[in-house]
């Protein structure tokens, strides 16, 4: 395989794997998704002329692969700012704050699938909301709403985790 | 903007560099400055986000993943190049020319018809010889689980899965053991076997990250359904247990110890 392809793999495979793991929650599924994304890249890369678009193309493709694999996702109604629920999280406890990787991945699996991809990109990459919206193929307002609601659910999910998954309490 | 609205926006704060141009965020930050309780809450939220971000970014991919990607991509690329060559280029493999097709049009049409007819006969004979016993049903469902399973609905809400199954014409009102009811649901799908509807519900196996597959169909649809008493079995890498109850036949399978399945169906 040529040097350019290897360079792209080296630059992005770890970040893509982390995104895939955040979506799927399973290491083997995450590895499959990451490999599949690069296989598609291997076939279609000549179509991407602008090298600055490669990263978002890879993330978009991986996300699409995940959705295809998952077939259909139950849609949740969008909640606008003016309809926000009164149960926004209290101050997170130290146990929730000091989380380890496996605990966070486990908690991500428990939040609504419709919010998970936006929350994962929010934490994993320093993408703007516009970039996240492009990867996910949804409007920017939807991205913001999903991130806020998803983080609130993530905190509740992490508060329910067993102690060892959360990490030490100071 | 009130305090609750500000909290919803502040939940997703990352840095001024990323969020400095977001007018909603700026408004929420201004509100925060004048509200000591909100400010304290915001500081904790920032610590939470920072902790989660750090935890996720520390995840290391499997050691072999990079090599597997490169090896697989090389293979895909070779396949692509082979396909491109066969469509024209320097390859000397003979290809059907347009003039050949035109001259032998009638012969080729007859050959295609015979091929279709033989294919249809083959399909119907193999279909009619498929094992229609419960073992046949079980093996077909478990092959699906191993090779190609997909869920039509992804949700942790067991009620939503049953509602989906009911709407899709699949079994939905079947009883389950209490331990299985308490097991987290991942989603489900409506399948079909020999024109009989089948429900599939996926669960998260307790204490592991493996998926459990439950298949449910009408016991009258299959000759010799299983006993009411759960019977263990094995299919390739899956341990299984099957039973009948209230006119339904069940198969539960997963890459978990047999004792885990037995505990779930007790």
């Amino acid at each position: 395989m040529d040097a350019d392809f290897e360079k792209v793999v080296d630059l992005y495979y770890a970040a893509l794997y982390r995104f895939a793991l955040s979506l799927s929650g399973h290491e083997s599924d995450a590895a499959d998704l990451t490999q599949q994304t690069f296989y598609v890249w291997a076939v279609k890369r000549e179509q991407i002329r602008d090298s600055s678009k490669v990263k978002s193309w890879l993330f978009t493709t991986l996300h699409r692969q995940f959705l295809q694999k998952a077939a259909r996702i139950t849609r949740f109604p969008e909640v606008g700012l003016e309809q926000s629920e009164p149960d926004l999280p209290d101050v997170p406890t130290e146990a929730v704050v000091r989380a380890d990787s496996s605990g966070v991945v486990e908690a991500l699996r428990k939040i609504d699938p419709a919010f998970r991809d936006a929350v994962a990109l929010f934490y994993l990459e320093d993408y703007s909301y516009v970039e996240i919206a492009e990867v996910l193929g949804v409007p920017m307002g939807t991205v913001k709403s999903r991130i806020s609601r998803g983080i609130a659910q993530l905190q509740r999910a992490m508060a329910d985790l067993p102690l060892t998954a959360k990490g030490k309490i100071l | 903007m009130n305090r609750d609205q500000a909290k919803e926006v502040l939940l997703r704060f990352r840095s001024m560099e990323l969020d400095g141009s977001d007018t909603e965020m700026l408004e929420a930050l201004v509100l925060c400055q004048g509200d000591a309780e909100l400010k304290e809450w915001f500081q904790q939220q920032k610590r939470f986000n920072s902790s989660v971000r750090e935890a996720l970014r520390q995840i290391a991919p499997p050691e072999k993943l990079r090599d597997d990607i490169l090896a697989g991509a090389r293979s895909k690329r070779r396949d692509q190049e082979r396909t491109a060559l066969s469509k024209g280029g320097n390859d000397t493999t003979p290809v059907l020319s347009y003039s050949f097709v035109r001259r032998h049009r009638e012969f080729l049409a007859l050959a295609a018809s015979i091929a279709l007819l033989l294919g249809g006969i083959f399909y119907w004979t193999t279909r009619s010889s498929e094992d229609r016993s419960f073992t046949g049903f079980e093996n077909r469902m478990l092959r699906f689980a191993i090779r190609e399973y997909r869920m039509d609905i992804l949700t942790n809400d067991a009620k939503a899965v049953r509602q989906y199954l009911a709407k899709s014409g699949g079994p939905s009102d079947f009883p389950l053991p209490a331990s299985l009811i308490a097991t987290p649901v991942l989603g489900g799908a409506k399948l079909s076997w020999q024109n009989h509807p089948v429900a599939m519900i996926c669960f998260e196996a307790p204490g592991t990250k493996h998926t459990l597959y439950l298949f449910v169909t009408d016991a009258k649809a299959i000759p010799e359904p299983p006993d009411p008493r759960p019977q263990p079995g094995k299919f390739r890498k899956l341990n299984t247990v099957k039973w009948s109850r209230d006119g339904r036949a069940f198969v539960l399978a997963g890459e978990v110890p047999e004792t885990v399945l037995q505990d779930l169906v007790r």
Side-chain angles (χ1 to χ4, degrees):
Chain A
M1 207 77 217
D2 60 62
D4 283 344
F5 183 87
E6 270 195 51
K7 192 174 157 192
V8 169
V9 171
D10 285 335
L11 276 172
Y12 301 122
Y13 86 102
L16 283 170
Y17 173 79
R18 285 190 277 269
F19 183 41
L21 185 63
S22 302
L23 294 177
S24 66
H26 297 293
E27 288 172 2
S28 56
D29 289 345
D32 285 346
L33 280 168
T34 309
Q35 285 186 64
Q36 189 57 36
T37 301
F38 279 109
Y39 295 166
V40 177
W41 168 248
V43 170
K44 293 193 175 180
R45 59 185 175 137
E46 270 91 27
Q47 298 172 11
I48 317 293
R49 296 186 188 282
D50 183 353
S51 58
S52 68
K53 302 280 186 208
V54 168
K55 183 182 175 185
S56 63
W57 188 94
L58 289 169
F59 273 81
T60 304
T61 302
L62 190 144
H63 182 245
R64 196 175 299 135
Q65 298 281 336
F66 170 73
L67 292 180
Q68 283 172 1
K69 197 172 176 179
R72 213 184 315 161
I73 295 177
T74 304
R75 300 221 170 265
F76 294 89
E78 298 302 334
V79 178
L81 194 56
E82 62 280 6
Q83 298 165 38
S84 59
E85 298 164 6
D87 60 340
L88 285 163
D90 296 326
V91 173
T93 63
E94 282 297 330
V96 174
V97 170
R98 303 280 170 187
D100 66 4
S101 306
S102 60
V104 172
V105 171
E106 193 180 327
L108 270 173
R109 286 196 66 199
K110 294 183 192 308
I111 74 173
D112 287 337
F115 301 161
R116 195 181 302 145
D117 43 18
V119 169
L121 283 174
F122 171 82
Y123 283 121
L124 284 170
E125 297 296 320
D126 290 330
Y127 275 142
S128 66
Y129 295 121
V130 169
E131 287 168 323
I132 296 177
E134 277 174 11
V135 169
L136 302 183
V138 298
M140 196 167 73
T142 304
V143 165
K144 290 182 179 180
S145 167
R146 287 184 182 180
I147 289 171
S148 293
R149 308 317 293 172
I151 291 175
Q153 286 191 2
L154 183 67
Q155 287 183 352
R156 283 194 282 273
M158 284 174 66
D160 292 338
L161 286 178
L163 191 62
T164 49
K166 278 187 248 185
K168 295 180 187 174
I169 298 181
L170 294 182
Chain B
M1 184 183 281
N2 62 34
R3 187 192 262 186
D4 279 346
Q5 289 170 334
K7 279 184 173 182
E8 183 152 341
V9 174
L10 291 170
L11 269 176
R12 49 180 173 78
F13 177 83
R14 287 179 291 181
S15 67
M16 285 310 293
E17 194 185 329
L18 286 168
D19 298 322
S21 59
D22 183 337
T23 49
E24 257 182 353
M25 185 65 74
L26 291 174
E27 192 181 337
L29 286 169
V30 166
L31 197 71
C32 201
Q33 290 307 312
D35 184 333
E37 201 181 312
L38 183 61
K39 196 172 179 180
E40 163 89 29
W41 177 92
F42 178 49
Q43 293 306 322
Q44 280 285 42
Q45 293 303 327
K46 279 198 293 184
R47 287 181 61 200
F48 172 81
N49 280 347
S50 176
S51 172
V52 170
R53 182 171 299 116
E54 196 183 316
L56 285 176
R57 293 189 187 194
Q58 276 174 2
I59 293 171
E63 274 178 23
K64 283 185 58 206
L65 181 58
R66 180 189 178 276
D67 292 341
D68 288 345
I69 291 170
L70 292 175
R74 271 184 214 111
S75 170
K76 289 276 176 188
R77 190 76 176 168
R78 270 198 301 270
D79 290 344
Q80 187 198 18
E81 285 165 359
R82 218 174 277 136
T83 306
L85 276 174
S86 71
K87 285 179 183 170
N90 298 328
D91 192 8
T92 54
T93 306
V95 171
L96 286 175
S97 68
Y98 179 67
S99 60
F100 176 87
V101 171
R102 207 172 47 166
R103 282 198 306 271
H104 299 86
R105 192 168 42 208
E106 284 157 13
F107 168 75
L108 287 170
L110 177 64
S113 303
I114 292 172
L116 273 172
L117 181 64
L118 288 174
I121 292 170
F122 176 75
Y123 170 73
W124 284 107
T125 52
T126 54
R127 188 168 175 224
S128 65
S129 69
E130 187 181 341
D131 185 355
R132 291 172 187 255
S133 69
F134 188 81
T135 303
F137 163 75
E138 190 180 2
N139 290 347
R140 181 67 190 92
M141 293 300 112
L142 296 175
R143 275 201 303 274
F144 172 78
I146 288 176
R147 280 193 210 154
E148 59 178 297
Y149 98 94
R150 46 105 188 110
M151 288 186 269
D152 296 337
I153 174 170
L154 281 183
T155 179
N156 300 131
D157 184 346
K159 194 171 157 193
V161 174
R162 290 196 188 241
Q163 282 170 348
Y164 169 79
L165 289 168
K167 228 189 312 190
S168 314
S172 61
D173 57 350
F174 43 84
L176 287 179
S179 299
L180 197 51
I181 291 174
T183 305
V185 165
L186 296 173
K190 186 257 173 179
L191 310 173
S192 179
W193 179 79
Q194 299 286 336
N195 290 324
H196 298 294
V198 178
M200 179 182 78
I201 300 184
C202 294
F203 301 86
E204 185 174 306
T208 77
K209 290 186 178 172
H210 289 296
T211 301
L212 298 175
Y213 312 91
L214 175 73
F215 300 99
V216 188
T217 192
D218 187 352
K220 287 201 273 314
I222 310 174
E224 298 174 14
D227 284 344
R229 200 176 51 149
Q231 299 154 49
K234 192 153 180 79
F235 183 85
R236 296 185 195 166
K237 57 183 178 176
L238 300 176
N239 277 318
T240 69
V241 62
K242 58 189 177 192
W243 72 99
S244 288
R245 192 177 160 194
D246 294 353
R248 304 289 191 182
F250 301 82
V251 176
L252 179 67
E255 280 186 70
V256 295
E258 187 186 302
T259 48
V260 169
L261 296 180
Q262 294 286 358
D263 288 342
L264 285 172
V265 303
R266 204 163 283 153

